[in-house]
Amino acid sequence: MIKFLGNKRLFVLLLSLILFTLVMGLTKGGRERLTWPEMFLKDTVSWVQSLFYEPARHVTGFFGDLNRLDVLYEENKALKRSLSRYATDSAKLSGLESENARLRTILEYQGSKATDIDFKVAEVVSRSPDRWNNVITIDLGSKHGIKKDMAVITPGGLVGRVQTVSHLFSNVQLVTDIEQGSRVSALIQNKQQSAFGIIEGYDAKTDQLIMKRIKLDDPVSKGDYVITSGWGEVFPYGLMIGQVEEVMIGQYGLTKIARIKPSADLYHLYEVLVVERSMQVPPRLMNDSSTDGESANGGDGS
Amino acid sequence: MKNVILALVFLLLFLLEGTVFAWLIPYQVDRLITVVPHPVLIFTIFIAVYLHRYKALLYGFSFGLLKDVVFYGHVIGIYTFSTAFIGYVIGLICRHFHPGFVLAISMVAIGNFFYELIVYGLYRLLNLVHVELEWALFHQFLPTMLFNTVLAVLLFAPIHRWVLQPFHDADEKINTP
């Protein structure tokens, strides 16, 4: 074997193995900043990729749509149904909003639970073809105010979070790649009560997110909606994650585990929203709510 | 000049890999099995078969690194290592054979399988993937291998005619061990 490879080659092979292990170890996990060669390479390549992605989407999208006419018909029906529900919901919401504002003024409640969320629309430039490393590149970077760990959503729900940022582009880690470093704290919303838990993993076999550490006596049932809790550092409150599909008792019988179907379509993405979370309550809102909260909040809502 | 052309073809395939090929896989298939197109790997293997293993090593390294940096999510180095390694080993195996269509395509199939295995193994080693091997084998490795073999058959004719054949003839003297 040694003769087959040669002494020098064996040495080079071993050396490169050590080097690779070193590089992998050093770059594993989230780094705060990229080095400038990485940023430069990323920006240039992503810019060229952006020229390809758009036409590719249109061409394949056209054929895909032809393929999916039957699905579209069903989808259209479902959308119409949900639209009619939306009308009644928004009427109900405005009623609740004014009631909420009234109650807040009565209680003189100052804190706001980060309800003022700003969105930035980003286009997807490319997608990592590999499924162990679910990364999409979007066309917003540090120049546009994107920071690491910002939440990324579609109208359907949570998609992922910003992993690395360069000047003009950034990489988004999809929610299916949840790992030790990037758990999502979430709330299961029930009719009576909400249950707190942490989304810790993803099961590729069944396409479900796994939410653990739910209290045993918290009510959780199939079909409940799951949203971000806003208690973690990463995501703001109230982003839709998915729906509960299955509830089980955890490994040691002390907690419950819920399996969640993600509500966003993670397979074909072309436009996403980056959520900018403002950590402090803006002073404008605080002043308004102390003087006449009802009218100010009504103005904010429109 | 030759190297510039090779690098340009590689770059084109790399750009298509993350954009056009990502949309090629039909919507319905994506939910059942995972099919990952690897045009860059296919071209690396073609070069290993037709040209020289050091060339395959060099280009595999460079474009694996590019993939690692551009799609940086977890870790840098996995694609660099696996693409370069597969290119080199296939070049090593093929140096005594006369290059041809059957050899190139079968090497793509074998190389793809082991590439997937190495990438999966490294991710598993770094505790970033928790799927069992058996499931990954039937839901990703084998479908991906089949898809890329078909892709290689389609890509073979143009690449062979315009890139491999002219360069191979020119390299004939150097290539013989």
Side-chain angles (χ1 to χ4, degrees):
Chain A
M1 188 69 189
I2 291 171
K3 203 164 189 186
F4 171 65
L5 278 169
N7 242 345
K8 214 164 78 188
R9 275 180 213 163
L10 195 69
F11 178 72
V12 170
L13 186 75
L14 286 178
L15 203 72
S16 56
L17 269 178
I18 292 167
L19 243 149
F20 271 113
T21 322
L22 197 74
V23 169
M24 284 180 211
L26 283 176
T27 53
K28 194 190 169 203
R31 283 187 298 159
E32 275 307 308
R33 294 181 55 82
L34 294 176
T35 53
W36 69 263
E38 278 176 279
M39 281 197 191
F40 174 75
L41 203 62
K42 167 113 199 76
D43 279 341
T44 356
V45 174
S46 296
W47 183 79
V48 185
Q49 276 174 329
S50 68
L51 302 178
F52 281 87
Y53 198 77
E54 188 66 19
R57 178 168 71 80
H58 282 304
V59 173
T60 49
F62 176 71
F63 289 109
D65 286 348
L66 285 184
N67 240 340
R68 284 195 296 149
L69 269 181
D70 51 334
V71 185
L72 282 177
Y73 177 69
E74 287 296 318
E75 206 174 88
N76 194 22
K77 265 206 303 199
L79 281 177
K80 271 185 185 149
R81 214 179 305 130
S82 62
L83 191 66
S84 65
R85 214 168 47 211
Y86 172 76
T88 56
D89 277 357
S90 62
K92 217 189 286 172
L93 180 70
S94 63
L96 286 173
E97 229 167 36
S98 62
E99 189 187 333
N100 189 6
R102 192 164 47 79
L103 292 175
R104 268 175 194 239
T105 44
I106 292 168
L107 285 171
E108 295 179 344
Y109 179 68
Q110 293 286 324
S112 138
K113 207 169 181 187
T115 40
D116 36 273
I117 294 173
D118 267 341
F119 300 111
K120 272 191 176 146
V121 181
E123 296 230 343
V124 177
V125 166
S126 69
R127 182 189 174 135
S128 152
D130 216 292
R131 288 298 178 267
W132 307 131
N133 179 34
N134 285 298
V135 166
I136 55 170
T137 305
I138 56 173
D139 66 345
L140 294 179
S142 57
K143 194 187 156 203
H144 311 94
I146 304 296
K147 292 193 188 71
K148 191 177 186 305
D149 285 337
M150 277 180 171
V152 177
I153 61 173
T154 62
L158 186 71
V159 168
R161 69 191 182 99
V162 176
Q163 173 83 2
T164 54
V165 186
S166 61
H167 290 300
L168 299 170
F169 296 91
S170 25
N171 278 3
V172 176
Q173 191 98 59
L174 296 191
V175 78
T176 52
D177 266 22
I178 286 176
E179 281 311 321
Q180 269 76 19
S182 61
R183 292 166 178 154
V184 182
S185 81
L187 281 176
I188 298 178
Q189 290 202 311
N190 210 302
K191 281 248 158 59
Q192 308 96 34
Q193 219 182 325
S194 54
F196 173 74
I198 294 172
I199 295 180
E200 290 197 333
Y202 171 73
D203 189 350
K205 290 186 211 170
T206 50
D207 187 25
Q208 285 167 326
L209 295 165
I210 298 163
M211 183 166 165
K212 291 180 179 169
R213 305 191 198 182
I214 307 163
K215 271 192 203 156
L216 258 191
D217 43 353
D218 279 347
V220 178
S221 50
K222 203 183 150 190
D224 287 352
Y225 288 100
V226 182
I227 59 167
T228 52
S229 72
W231 296 342
E233 296 272 297
V234 180
F235 295 134
Y237 167 78
L239 304 176
M240 174 67 88
I241 297 171
Q243 260 182 308
V244 176
E245 274 196 335
E246 204 183 336
V247 187
M248 298 175 300
I249 301 294
Q251 207 180 352
Y252 303 108
L254 298 170
T255 52
K256 276 193 223 175
I257 292 176
R259 288 176 159 266
I260 298 157
K261 178 135 193 77
S263 58
D265 177 14
L266 301 172
Y267 291 95
H268 288 104
L269 296 161
Y270 43 93
E271 224 158 46
V272 293
L273 303 165
V274 184
V275 181
E276 293 181 79
R277 181 186 190 178
S278 42
M279 294 299 280
Q280 299 109 345
V281 183
R284 173 181 55 83
L285 208 137
M286 278 172 72
N287 291 340
D288 284 353
S289 62
S290 59
T291 49
D292 55 345
E294 206 155 326
S295 61
N297 271 305
D300 273 354
S302 64
Chain B
M1 189 58 203
K2 255 166 45 186
N3 283 328
V4 173
I5 292 174
L6 283 183
L8 282 177
V9 175
F10 260 116
L11 196 63
L12 183 72
L13 288 174
F14 177 82
L15 291 171
L16 293 177
E17 189 174 319
T19 53
V20 176
F21 284 111
W23 286 92
L24 257 181
I25 317 297
Y27 186 75
Q28 290 92 339
V29 174
D30 248 355
R31 279 162 200 271
L32 297 174
I33 47 169
T34 309
V35 175
V36 189
H38 295 306
V40 170
L41 181 72
I42 291 172
F43 194 43
T44 311
I45 293 173
F46 281 170
I47 284 181
V49 173
Y50 272 87
L51 303 177
H52 200 268
R53 57 182 184 281
Y54 287 143
K55 267 207 171 93
L57 180 75
L58 178 72
Y59 285 110
F61 184 92
S62 315
F63 285 88
L65 185 63
L66 191 63
K67 185 174 176 180
D68 265 326
V69 170
V70 170
F71 296 114
Y72 178 41
H74 292 303
V75 66
I76 286 178
I78 288 183
Y79 299 109
T80 320
F81 174 75
S82 35
T83 321
F85 180 76
I86 291 289
Y88 182 77
V89 170
I90 291 217
L92 209 63
I93 295 168
C94 289
R95 63 181 168 167
H96 297 305
F97 296 112
H98 187 72
F101 176 75
V102 178
L103 183 72
I105 298 301
S106 48
M107 281 302 146
V108 165
I110 295 168
N112 239 293
F113 183 79
F114 282 100
Y115 174 82
E116 288 281 328
L117 199 67
I118 292 169
V119 169
Y120 167 81
L122 285 174
Y123 271 119
R124 188 84 188 264
L125 180 74
L126 294 171
N127 211 9
L128 295 166
V129 163
H130 306 284
V131 179
E132 294 103 51
L133 178 63
E134 198 185 331
W135 190 85
L137 188 71
F138 288 110
H139 286 79
Q140 173 155 350
F141 297 177
L142 295 176
T144 300
M145 190 178 107
L146 275 177
F147 177 84
N148 280 301
T149 313
V150 174
L151 192 66
V153 171
L154 295 177
L155 287 177
F156 184 81
I159 288 180
H160 180 257
R161 180 153 174 210
W162 285 306
V163 185
L164 298 176
Q165 196 60 53
F167 290 4
H168 177 63
D169 291 343
D171 265 5
E172 192 77 318
K173 292 182 196 86
I174 312 157
N175 198 25
T176 42

